[in-house]
Amino acid sequence: MFWSASPVTGAPPRAAAPGSTGPTSLDEATQKATNAAGWIEENWGTWLTSGLRILLIIVIAVVLRHVIRRTITKFIERMNRTAAAAQGTALGGLLVNAERRRQRSEAIGSVLRSVASFVIMGTAALTVLSVLEINLAPLLASAGVAGVAIGFGARNLVTDFLSGVFMILEDQYGVGDEIDAGVANGTVIEVGLRVTKLRGPNGAIWYIRNGEVKRIGNLSQGWSTAAVDVVIAADQDLERARDIITGAGEEMSKAEPWNEQLWEPVEVLGLSEVHLDTVTISVSARTMPGKAAGVERELRWRIKRALDAAGVHLAPRPLPEEETPETADPTAGVAAPSVLNNPTSPQSLATEPLAASPKAGK
C-alpha cells in the first residue's frame, strides 16, 4: 500500500486544526526529520566528547578526594600512635598528653579534610560548567556578592572558627591545661573550632567562644612556681629560721610523691617585707605544670611543723582595729545667738517686763 500526497478527487482538502504545529504533508514531515537527523549527526560527536570529559572530571575528582582524605586520616592516626608510644615513657608521661594530642590531631584532620573536599569538588564543578560552555562570570559575581553578605551576617561565627583553627595549629592550650582566658579561668576539658569548654574552680563549666578570647595565660606549659610567704616575729633568729625552712624543703623533696613534682630544690629567697613587729620570708620552688597549688599547701604544712618543733614563733595575726565612734559636735546642742541676751541692745531696752501674776504673791 502506497501513500500519496495528492488529495482524493472530489474531496476538499482538510485544513489544519487551529493552533496545531504538526506537519501538513508527508514532504514537510520528511524534511523536518531529515533536518533533525542531520543536526544530531553533526553534534553527536561534540556531545559524546563533552560527556566523556565531564565523566572523566567527576571520576578524577572523586578518586583524588578519596585519596587525599585517606592520606590525611593515615597521617593523623600515625601522629596518635606516636603520642601513645611516647606516653608510656617516663619523660613522655610528663611532656605528652595523649588525649590532648588526640583531640588536636583530630581537629586538624577535620579541617584539612574539609578544605581538601571543598577545593577539589569546587574546582571540578567549575571545570564541568566550562565544558558545558556556560559563562561563569555572572555565576562568580553572584557567588562573590553572596559570600560578602554571608560574611557580614556571620562574621562572629567566622571569627570564632578562624580563631579556633589558629589556637589548635599553634597549640596554645589543650585538654587538661590550666588556663586563664580573661573572661574565665579553669581546666580545659574540650577544645573545639568554635567553642572552648572550661571546668572552673567551683565545678562550673564555662563555654567560651574562641573569637572572644583576647589573651590566654597557660599555667600548664613548661613549669610552675610554688611561692610561700612565712611571716615570723621580728625578734626571732632569722638565720635559724632560714635553716629550718631549708631543711623542711629538703625533707619534702625526698618524700613521695613530692620528689617527682619538685623539679628544683626549695629556695629561701630572703626577706620580702620588714615591719616593726613582723618580717616576711619568701620561699620558692619550681614544680611540674599544674602542681604548684598542692606543693604550696604541703610546704606550708611542713614549714609550720618544723618551726613549731624548733621553737620559732610565727607572728600573731593583727587584731582588727576597733572602730572609734565619731566625736559629737559640741556646738550641735547650742542655740543660735540672740540679740535679747544683751541687756543693752535696743531690742532688750524696747521690751517690757511681764506683769506679776496675782497668785504669785500668795
Side-chain angles (χ1 to χ4, degrees):
M1 181 177 181
F2 297 95
W3 291 92
S4 174
S6 300
V8 179
T9 305
R14 290 183 301 174
S20 175
T21 59
T24 59
S25 66
L26 183 60
D27 293 338
E28 292 180 1
T30 304
Q31 182 65 28
K32 289 186 177 182
T34 303
N35 294 337
W39 181 74
I40 294 175
E41 183 179 0
E42 290 177 359
N43 294 281
W44 77 272
T46 304
W47 294 346
L48 181 60
T49 304
S50 300
L52 292 177
R53 290 179 61 185
I54 293 174
L55 181 61
L56 182 62
I57 291 170
I58 295 175
V59 170
I60 292 176
V62 172
V63 172
L64 184 61
R65 176 177 177 271
H66 176 73
V67 170
I68 291 180
R69 289 175 64 91
R70 186 171 181 82
T71 303
I72 295 174
T73 303
K74 291 293 184 182
F75 178 72
I76 297 303
E77 291 178 355
R78 182 177 299 178
M79 290 177 58
N80 292 335
R81 287 197 299 268
T82 303
Q87 184 74 16
T89 62
L91 183 59
L94 297 177
L95 301 180
V96 179
N97 188 322
E99 180 63 18
R100 170 178 176 175
R101 289 287 299 271
R102 187 192 66 79
Q103 288 203 6
R104 178 169 174 256
S105 59
E106 289 294 337
I108 295 175
S110 176
V111 172
L112 293 178
R113 285 190 291 267
S114 300
V115 171
S117 299
F118 177 78
V119 171
I120 294 173
M121 302 309 294
T123 304
L126 294 177
T127 307
V128 169
L129 293 177
S130 65
V131 170
L132 296 176
E133 297 182 357
I134 297 177
N135 189 9
L136 299 179
L139 180 62
L140 294 178
S142 302
V145 173
V148 171
I150 293 174
F152 276 110
R155 58 186 180 274
N156 291 334
L157 181 62
V158 174
T159 301
D160 297 340
F161 180 81
L162 293 178
S163 299
V165 170
F166 283 106
M167 285 179 182
I168 293 174
L169 292 178
E170 296 173 0
D171 195 18
Q172 297 180 7
Y173 55 82
V175 175
D177 285 355
E178 188 79 17
I179 68 171
D180 181 2
V183 294
N185 56 0
T187 304
V188 179
I189 59 178
E190 184 177 343
V191 180
L193 294 178
R194 192 181 68 87
V195 174
T196 296
K197 188 184 299 184
L198 301 181
R199 173 77 69 178
N202 58 351
I205 296 180
W206 297 93
Y207 296 87
I208 303 175
R209 288 172 41 200
N210 294 329
E212 293 183 346
V213 179
K214 304 302 180 183
R215 63 171 180 84
I216 296 176
N218 196 324
L219 308 178
S220 300
Q221 286 185 350
W223 45 268
S224 299
T225 300
V228 176
D229 291 333
V230 181
V231 182
I232 64 175
D235 57 353
Q236 300 298 308
D237 189 353
L238 298 182
E239 294 292 339
R240 186 183 178 194
R242 181 171 61 182
D243 295 339
I244 294 172
I245 295 173
T246 303
E250 293 177 353
E251 180 183 355
M252 178 179 173
S253 62
K254 298 177 182 178
E256 294 283 348
W258 313 109
N259 55 353
E260 296 181 357
Q261 298 183 14
L262 285 171
W263 284 6
E264 290 185 359
V266 178
E267 181 181 4
V268 180
L269 302 179
L271 297 180
S272 59
E273 293 182 1
V274 177
H275 298 283
L276 183 62
D277 53 351
T278 63
V279 293
T280 303
I281 302 176
S282 296
V283 184
S284 176
R286 182 170 296 185
T287 69
M288 290 177 57
K291 301 297 183 181
V295 172
E296 289 176 357
R297 290 190 290 267
E298 181 66 18
L299 189 57
R300 291 190 188 98
W301 178 278
R302 291 175 178 269
I303 290 176
K304 176 65 170 60
R305 292 180 56 187
L307 292 176
D308 290 344
V312 177
H313 302 290
L314 298 175
R317 177 180 296 180
L319 298 176
E321 298 181 358
E322 297 181 359
E323 296 182 359
T324 56
E326 296 182 359
T327 305
D329 187 2
T331 62
V334 179
S338 174
V339 294
L340 298 178
N341 291 336
N342 186 3
T344 60
S345 64
Q347 291 80 359
S348 298
L349 296 176
T351 58
E352 296 181 358
L354 296 175
S357 174
K359 297 181 181 181
K362 293 182 180 181

